[in-house]
Amino acid sequence: MPLQIVTVPCLKDNYAYLAHDPVTGVTCVVDVPEPQPILDALAAHGWKADLVLLTHHHWDHVDGLPGLLAEHPAKVAGAAADAHRLPKLDIALTEGDSFAIGAETGAVIDVSGHTLGHIAVHFPASAVVFTADSLMAMGCGRLFEGTPAQMHESLQKLATLPPETLVCSGHEYTESNVRFALTIEPGNPALQARAAKVAKARTEGRPTVPSSLADELATNPFLRAQSPEIRAAMGLPNAPDAVVFTAVRAAKDRF
Ligand code: ZN
Ligand code: FE
């Protein structure tokens, strides 16, 4: 039975997730921007947090941890590479490690770029990946620590997951991401269709995440370096994909 995923809006535009294994009853909280909405979501489902997975060290993904642990004494997992600047870890993870939520086993992927040491975890049997600030809905995280080449490589790893994979990312930045995407690939019909869906969801106050990897592959400009329209917009018709990605990331930073 697949993991049950609950999206928990936190702070102004962050998302945490609950991932619950219905077979064993084990629940993992993915990122802890602030405790209260997560405590409320756990209570609403009658679940207790057994595990916490921290994707990266930024305050808006970890600062709620003490408040959560005060009520749910969970084991905390995060990147071994970030152990020196994350809260104390019970489970230190490196790319290629497995990370289990009850009966479901996930694979740890290094997705450095936004930060060095940012990890994603992919649960193939449930077709879900937690990407936080690496691959986002029609976007990707800003490059605070890594190089564009690193982020490009990280996103390419995620792009090879099965297209039906649910992408659980860390922020509600989708409307801004759509506006940017439309400036560089206005002729993409999948992008136009998704723009309308996103606008409707936000008008109704619904999150635009999780998204499907198939939708990201069809509309996310950071996964579409091969698009002739994006290449033309960047003035890079024949450049390697990583160079096009770098130009797209720089254009988004100026947007
Ligand atoms: Zn971040
Ligand atoms: Fe963040």
Side-chain angles (χ1 to χ4, degrees):
M1 265 200 288
L3 292 170
Q4 269 175 266
I5 306 297
V6 176
T7 304
V8 186
C10 292
L11 303 175
K12 189 169 138 273
D13 55 28
N14 273 81
Y15 288 116
Y17 296 89
L18 310 183
H20 177 79
D21 173 28
V23 178
T24 58
V26 169
T27 304
C28 179
V29 177
V30 181
D31 285 340
V32 195
E34 60 175 333
Q36 201 55 54
I38 295 169
L39 294 171
D40 292 347
L42 286 164
H45 288 84
W47 299 340
K48 68 177 178 52
D50 305 285
L51 293 163
V52 175
L53 172 67
L54 302 174
T55 59
H56 67 296
H57 72 92
H58 282 159
W59 69 272
D60 61 314
H61 299 256
V62 305
D63 271 11
L65 186 64
L68 173 64
L69 293 181
E71 303 208 16
H72 297 260
K75 291 249 179 290
V76 179
D82 263 348
H84 63 288
R85 56 182 180 175
L86 283 172
K88 189 182 164 308
L89 298 179
D90 300 299
I91 305 167
L93 300 169
T94 305
E95 178 163 78
D97 284 353
S98 40
F99 175 72
I101 301 176
E104 288 286 295
T105 302
V108 176
I109 307 169
D110 179 298
V111 290
S112 288
H114 176 67
T115 63
L116 299 176
H118 193 312
I119 52 171
V121 183
H122 174 229
F123 293 86
S126 295
V128 58
V129 64
F130 296 97
T131 61
D133 295 358
S134 58
L135 178 62
M136 301 170 109
M138 274 182 279
C140 74
R142 268 179 190 264
L143 303 178
F144 288 113
E145 297 176 8
T147 64
Q150 245 169 345
M151 182 60 118
H152 181 250
E153 196 191 322
S154 295
L155 296 184
Q156 285 308 114
K157 291 183 212 172
L158 297 170
T160 62
L161 299 178
E164 66 273 19
T165 305
L166 211 56
V167 178
C168 296
S169 53
H171 288 271
E172 185 58 64
Y173 293 162
T174 316
E175 280 184 301
S176 153
N177 290 341
V178 169
R179 282 196 297 277
F180 170 70
L182 285 169
T183 63
I184 64 170
E185 205 183 19
N188 177 350
L191 176 57
Q192 296 158 6
R194 194 170 173 197
K197 270 202 226 166
V198 165
K200 184 162 186 291
R202 294 313 290 157
T203 305
E204 294 168 3
R206 284 184 287 114
T208 59
V209 301
S211 55
S212 76
L213 183 58
D215 279 352
E216 298 309 329
L217 292 168
T219 63
N220 187 325
F222 298 101
L223 295 180
R224 297 182 54 73
Q226 288 177 1
S227 153
E229 193 177 9
I230 289 180
R231 287 175 162 264
M234 295 297 111
L236 295 167
N238 301 309
D241 287 358
V243 173
V244 176
F245 169 83
T246 301
V248 172
R249 186 59 259 180
K252 176 67 164 68
D253 288 345
R254 293 189 303 267
F255 181 68

